[in-house]
Amino acid sequence: MRGKKAQAMARLCYVDDSRTAAYVVRRQLEPLGYLVDHFCAAEPAFVALIQGDYDLLLTDLKVSSTGMDGDDLIRTLRQSGHPKISTLPIIVITGSTDAKVLVGVYDVGANQVMNKPVDAGELDGHIRRLLFDGHRAAQEAASPVPEASKPAAVAPLLSSNASPPAESAVPVLDVVDASSGQEPESPTKRIPTPERIGAFFHSQQPEPPLVEIEIPDVVPEPEEPVPEQVVSPEPDVLHWEDTVEDIIIEPDSSAQRSAWHSQGADDAAPHRHRFPPRAERDGGEGDILSDHDYALVSTQRRRLLRGWGPRAWLSRVVLPSLVVVIGLVVWEQFTDWGQSVDTALVTRGEIYQSIRAPARIVSQQTVIASPASSGRLVDVAVNEGDIVSAGQVLARLDNREQLRRLSRAEADLISARKEITRAKRTLDRLRKAHRKGAVTQRFVGDAEVNLRTARNNVGIAVENVHKATQELEKQTITAAISGVVAARNAEVDQWVGPTDGLFSLADSTRLAIEARINAAASSGITAGQIVSVSGGVDSGQQWQEAVTGLGAGAPQTPGVVNVRISLGPNAPVLRIGQPVNVEIRTAWNPDALNIPFDALISRDGQTLVAVLEEGRVRLRVVETGIEDLTMAEIKQGLASGDRVILANGRQLMDGDKVYAEQVPD
């Protein structure tokens, strides 16, 4: 069975604007024991580095077209002065091969630069070198000198006539004479317990030289304890008095003879025991041993020493251990099934590669409304999102001066027309007078000239009225088409001119979808590709459209391509500016051999797949095609029905013994 995941070895912050690349790197590092937090931009990653507890930073070099890039993030961390993030180990993963760019990355503070695609083993090696080896060196530098390396202090030795310390005295149990039926008033006989006898055997006190003396069978009364002597640090050895006692003890009954046998005596004959003088073997007040006790102690001590000699060690420790080791080796040979692995079958089916991006509803026809003349806005009649019709007033400029000009032009026109009337009357009178001979022809000719002049003045006045009317109309801003006010940049009392776009009008009858894609990722997008769209009033709605064209983005957003997508009859009711999500299929194969992405192994510049055959690993070189987040297309190297091993970052070798932990259907 698969074990539980161990605690993460290190927490890594990974910055990359490509979700596919981030998925691959996380799949490589997480099985190795790392916890990887991915960020699509440098700004949120910088905030997380300050607030969180990260051990190392992985970042792409180019992560944003308008904001902070990878080198900007590194420079900001190094110059922050923060005790944690200013010294944080940093590895840059980039597709650039420009030597000047790579040197610049090292200059801003990166510890290591790696080129894409990244090998999992190489990346793991760099992380361990920067992180764990550095921690180990810091711990060794900060750790104190171990006690074993310090010179051992010389233990103080007892001077002559010194008694063994009270702690090493053999502990005894108080017993009473059962035949008397009452507790004695004098000091009781004391019998050593097995635990304290063992402690006595392991005592480090040397045995002093011995002489022979005889004592009666009766257990003598304990003497007064010898006071502890002052420890002298000068002598190198422990001195004892030359006076010793050699005690001969005989069993005085059959019961005692049996007891001696059970306590370790070799036979029931009298035994001669050599002991230090009683005053020196008494460990102190309350811990006095009788001669019978010392005899028992000495006998068991000799027996223990004989029982743990070289032959005893060989028979009791070495041989059983050797048998156990041999048994384990044999058992492993017969039961070694290899390591457990997860497997999957090679299947045939649809696979496609796509680009996901946010988009919005736009109009295919957009008109910008600007004023025809300069002036001050006195009225704004519409707001953003309002539906307007062609000719509707959007805003008005201050038109008082234009009204005055129109009034003067109209007054001049009225005067010119009156002048024509007067000129006609004068001409008629002079013609009548000329026919009667009252005036000469010259006067009639002058009257005709005055009439023509008056008529010309009327024409000029009419033109002036027309111009004044046009100037007055320019003070009103109207809608050129029917549609929706997509944008409004006008406010009352704002001074505007003909170059100012005050309103953006979108034709609501001709809608499309517009998505902004990074130029580097848009190389595989062409007109006619299938697009899956989701959104609308119901966020769960999904339908298909097609790419209609590509165009350059706005000047203020370099490196961005505008992708236009159709909006057909299957789309729900949408409004201009409404956000939707699109997934553009850049590659598609409806009948491909597919395997899980985790089964791919990158090694020595080749793509390998481990196939399970008769309990062994067989590595095969394969050619891959379309890859998505979970599956990969196999063009060559495998057949349908092959069982592949999910490597999950493990170093599998050809011929390794493995078995399938779970065999899927």
Side-chain angles (χ1 to χ4, degrees):
M1 296 178 63
R2 184 179 302 173
K4 297 183 178 178
K5 289 185 177 180
Q7 184 178 2
M9 292 191 298
R11 187 181 181 189
L12 310 182
C13 177
Y14 179 38
V15 184
D16 198 321
D17 59 338
S18 173
R19 297 183 182 273
T20 302
Y23 178 85
V24 174
V25 173
R26 291 183 66 180
R27 281 291 188 177
Q28 291 176 339
L29 293 180
E30 288 179 348
L32 301 178
Y34 300 105
L35 177 62
V36 183
D37 294 341
H38 171 238
F39 298 89
C40 293
E43 290 82 355
F46 178 71
V47 175
L49 287 170
I50 295 177
Q51 297 178 350
D53 186 14
Y54 290 94
D55 299 295
L56 186 139
L57 169 64
L58 297 172
T59 179
D60 192 3
L61 191 57
K62 295 296 181 182
V63 296
S64 175
S65 58
T66 58
M68 181 184 291
D69 269 332
D71 53 350
D72 299 327
L73 175 60
I74 298 172
R75 188 181 297 105
T76 303
L77 294 177
R78 294 303 187 222
Q79 298 177 358
S80 64
H82 193 281
K84 172 71 175 177
I85 64 175
S86 62
T87 59
L88 189 71
I90 300 175
I91 298 177
V92 175
I93 302 175
T94 178
S96 175
T97 57
D98 189 353
K100 184 179 295 184
V101 173
L102 300 182
V103 171
V105 174
Y106 280 110
D107 290 341
V108 297
N111 300 96
Q112 183 66 44
V113 178
M114 301 182 65
N115 287 327
K116 296 180 179 179
V118 177
D119 181 72
E122 183 181 358
L123 179 58
D124 181 40
H126 286 308
I127 293 175
R128 291 178 181 273
R129 176 178 60 83
L130 292 176
L131 188 61
F132 300 109
D133 293 347
H135 286 179
R136 187 180 302 110
Q139 292 175 357
E140 291 177 357
S143 61
V145 179
E147 296 296 332
S149 62
K150 295 182 179 180
V154 179
L157 302 176
L158 296 176
S159 62
S160 301
N161 302 326
S163 301
E167 291 78 10
S168 63
V170 178
V172 297
L173 295 175
D174 293 339
V175 299
V176 299
D177 189 357
S179 61
S180 63
Q182 60 182 3
E183 296 185 4
E185 297 179 357
S186 59
T188 60
K189 182 178 180 180
R190 312 176 74 82
I191 300 176
T193 62
E195 294 81 0
R196 301 195 178 194
I197 291 174
F200 178 83
F201 290 159
H202 294 81
S203 172
Q204 301 299 320
Q205 301 293 344
E207 295 186 2
L210 306 175
V211 298
E212 295 185 0
I213 63 172
E214 291 190 2
I215 62 171
D217 294 336
V218 182
V219 178
E221 293 293 330
E223 299 178 357
E224 292 294 328
V226 179
E228 185 177 354
Q229 301 297 320
V230 178
V231 178
S232 174
E234 297 180 0
D236 294 333
V237 298
L238 184 64
H239 297 284
W240 293 80
E241 290 291 338
D242 294 334
T243 304
V244 296
E245 298 176 344
D246 194 349
I247 305 172
I248 301 174
I249 302 177
E250 298 181 1
D252 54 2
S253 64
S254 59
Q256 191 177 47
R257 185 177 291 106
S258 299
W260 281 26
H261 257 300
S262 62
Q263 295 293 336
D266 295 335
D267 51 42
H271 291 272
R272 182 183 302 273
H273 301 274
R274 301 172 64 84
F275 300 103
R278 179 180 300 276
E280 296 184 10
R281 67 173 181 260
D282 293 342
E285 184 177 355
D287 283 329
I288 302 174
L289 291 177
S290 68
D291 296 325
H292 288 85
D293 299 334
Y294 266 93
L296 179 59
V297 168
S298 178
T299 302
Q300 292 192 2
R301 183 176 186 182
R302 289 197 308 273
R303 183 183 181 187
L304 286 176
L305 292 177
R306 288 197 305 270
W308 288 98
R311 294 184 178 178
W313 274 98
L314 180 62
S315 61
R316 299 182 184 180
V317 177
V318 178
L319 291 179
S321 301
L322 185 60
V323 171
V324 171
V325 171
I326 295 174
L328 291 176
V329 172
V330 174
W331 173 261
E332 183 179 358
Q333 291 296 325
F334 282 98
T335 61
D336 183 16
W337 298 333
Q339 58 179 322
S340 64
V341 293
D342 293 332
T343 62
L345 288 175
V346 179
T347 58
R348 185 173 294 277
E350 179 189 31
I351 188 172
Y352 61 86
Q353 192 171 8
S354 62
I355 298 176
R356 292 181 174 89
R360 62 189 181 93
I361 305 300
V362 298
S363 174
Q364 298 186 45
Q365 181 182 12
T366 302
V367 177
I368 304 299
S370 302
S373 62
S374 300
R376 183 176 61 87
L377 286 174
V378 295
D379 181 30
V380 178
V382 295
N383 293 315
E384 185 174 337
D386 289 350
I387 299 176
V388 297
S389 58
Q392 181 177 337
V393 175
L394 305 178
R396 291 185 176 87
L397 301 177
D398 187 358
N399 59 359
R400 289 176 294 180
E401 180 63 27
Q402 285 73 20
L403 288 174
R404 285 193 294 267
R405 291 177 184 176
L406 178 60
S407 297
R408 286 196 299 267
E410 290 175 345
D412 292 341
L413 177 60
I414 293 172
S415 299
R417 287 174 177 173
K418 289 180 179 180
E419 186 64 28
I420 290 177
T421 303
R422 286 194 298 268
K424 285 182 178 181
R425 290 175 183 176
T426 302
L427 179 60
D428 290 341
R429 287 197 305 267
L430 290 175
R431 284 177 177 175
K432 290 179 181 180
H434 176 67
R435 286 194 297 267
K436 293 179 180 181
V439 295
T440 62
Q441 183 63 32
R442 182 175 62 81
F443 288 102
V444 175
D446 292 340
E448 290 176 351
V449 171
N450 291 335
L451 178 59
R452 287 195 298 270
T453 301
R455 287 175 176 171
N456 290 336
N457 291 336
V458 169
I460 294 173
V462 171
E463 184 66 23
N464 290 337
V465 170
H466 180 67
K467 290 181 179 179
T469 302
Q470 288 180 338
E471 289 295 329
L472 180 62
E473 291 176 352
K474 290 181 179 179
Q475 303 305 106
T476 302
I477 305 170
T478 59
I481 61 172
S482 298
V484 179
V485 179
R488 164 185 156 171
N489 300 313
E491 299 295 338
V492 176
D493 292 331
Q494 178 182 348
W495 187 268
V496 296
T499 60
D500 297 328
L502 303 183
F503 302 94
S504 177
L505 304 179
D507 187 353
S508 58
T509 61
R510 301 174 59 189
L511 300 181
I513 302 174
E514 183 179 77
R516 295 184 177 183
I517 307 295
N518 187 282
S522 63
S523 58
I525 301 177
T526 58
Q529 289 177 335
I530 299 175
V531 181
S532 296
V533 187
S534 60
V537 178
D538 183 2
S539 59
Q541 287 183 301
Q542 187 171 359
W543 69 100
Q544 287 189 346
E545 300 290 349
V547 176
T548 58
L550 286 80
Q556 61 269 21
T557 56
V560 175
V561 175
N562 289 336
V563 180
R564 282 295 179 96
I565 302 169
S566 64
L567 193 62
N570 295 329
V573 177
L574 301 169
R575 56 180 177 80
I576 296 176
Q578 184 173 345
V580 293
N581 296 315
V582 298
E583 183 179 2
I584 306 172
R585 292 187 181 181
T586 58
W588 177 58
N589 189 345
D591 187 25
L593 288 177
N594 302 324
I595 64 171
F597 193 84
D598 294 339
L600 297 179
I601 302 173
S602 297
R603 187 177 299 171
D604 299 331
Q606 293 180 320
T607 301
L608 308 176
V609 172
V611 179
L612 178 60
E613 293 182 357
E614 298 179 353
R616 297 282 182 176
V617 174
R618 300 303 177 198
L619 294 180
R620 297 185 187 177
V621 179
V622 298
E623 180 184 353
T624 60
I626 301 173
E627 297 179 359
D628 60 15
L629 294 180
T630 58
M631 303 294 288
E633 176 191 9
I634 301 299
K635 292 185 175 181
Q636 187 176 357
L638 295 177
S640 180
D642 287 344
R643 186 169 298 280
V644 297
I645 301 172
L646 307 184
N648 293 324
R650 284 180 292 190
Q651 294 294 326
L652 297 175
M653 304 302 294
D654 193 67
D656 286 351
K657 295 179 66 176
V658 295
Y659 66 93
E661 181 175 349
Q662 287 183 340
V663 179
D665 295 335

